[in-house]
Amino acid sequence: MTRFLVRRVVAAVPLLLVVSAATFLLVALVPGDAARSIAGRNATPEQVAQVRTELGLDRPVWTQYIDWLGSAINGDLGTSLINQQAVTEQLNARLGATMSLIIGATVVAAVVGVTLGVLGARGGWLGRTVDAASLIGFAVPTFWLALVLVVLLAVKVAAFPALGYTPLGQSPSQWMASLFLPVVTLAVPATASVAKVTRDAVSDAMQRPFVRTLRAAGVPERAIIARHALKNAAVPILTIVGLTFIGALTGAVLIEQIFALPGLGGTAVTATAAGDLPLIQGVVIYFTVIVIAVNLLVDLAYAFFNPRVRVS
């Protein structure tokens, strides 16, 4: 297992290099000029050129990338071109909001989705209901659901705030309240996916010979599902939960904009509009590291729940 972890960590290094290099290239091709944004709309071409030279933006892209990579290896992701603040400090300050949103949505989707999937695996009208609910969850647009929740629970009832974010350390109750609407919005389509995969996986496990043997031995149905069927269905369930977490990173960009959450998604949008390459690069690196960490945790969970997939 230790060698497996080491191999996965080492394999992540080329991925980070490829992603960071591709980001530099793509940003260079995207229309926009950070020097123009900093100098102002009324700046002369000479003033814009001077700002570009001061920031080092007049150098070849590959030279800028090598300089950035040398600093990144030492833990320095550079300085924002727009506000001249350290990229690491800005992203660390916004990481909490994004991780709270993503982890919250993933936990809700996993708990509710697995529960519905297990209930639906028994077949009959309940199974058909889970399938129908899954289709509805897939079809509902996220932005529409967000607006409906805001109107119902923030405007008419005023039960939860529609905008803003309260850090956990400041007030746990207000932190939960500020995350309720965005977490529910992000969790609904993910719950549909988890419920459908869980239902199919548990249904397949319940058709296997060992289940018939357990039933013949008088083992209660609940114990068969909880101790045996779910364990055998763990791999597809863990896979969809991991994909749900990763997919929530993309969904967080939209959700943070709608609910005005100060997270990485909103930072990525702002940095892209301003052409702030160091800040864009920092967000990409943070997202990539999160994805690598989640994939590693899913692999470890595979080995825990199913010894047949363990590697030495």
Side-chain angles (χ1 to χ4, degrees), residues 42-64:
N42 298 324
T44 63
E46 291 76 16
Q47 292 173 325
V48 175
Q50 181 180 357
V51 172
R52 186 178 293 109
T53 300
E54 292 175 354
L55 296 176
L57 301 177
D58 57 339
R59 297 178 299 161
V61 176
W62 64 270
T63 303
Q64 298 180 47

Side-chain angles (χ1 to χ4, degrees), residues 3 18 32 41 62 64 75 88 109 120 132-134 139 148 160-161 163 179 182 216 218 244 259 273 280 303:
R3 286 186 294 175
V18 171
R41 296 182 178 180
W62 64 270
Q64 298 180 47
T88 304
S134 298
V148 170
F160 303 97
L163 302 173
L179 285 173
T244 295
F259 292 99
I280 296 172

Side-chain angles (χ1 to χ4, degrees), residues 159-172:
F160 303 97
L163 302 173
Y165 171 76
T166 301
L168 176 61
Q170 181 176 332
S171 173

Side-chain angles (χ1 to χ4, degrees), residues 32 36 40 111 114 125 157 169 175 181-182 202 210 217 219-220 229 234 250 257 260 265 289 307:
R36 169 64 67 180
V111 173
V114 170
W125 66 270
V157 180
W175 170 75
L181 295 182
V202 174
F210 75 87
V219 179
T250 303
Q257 292 294 303
V289 171

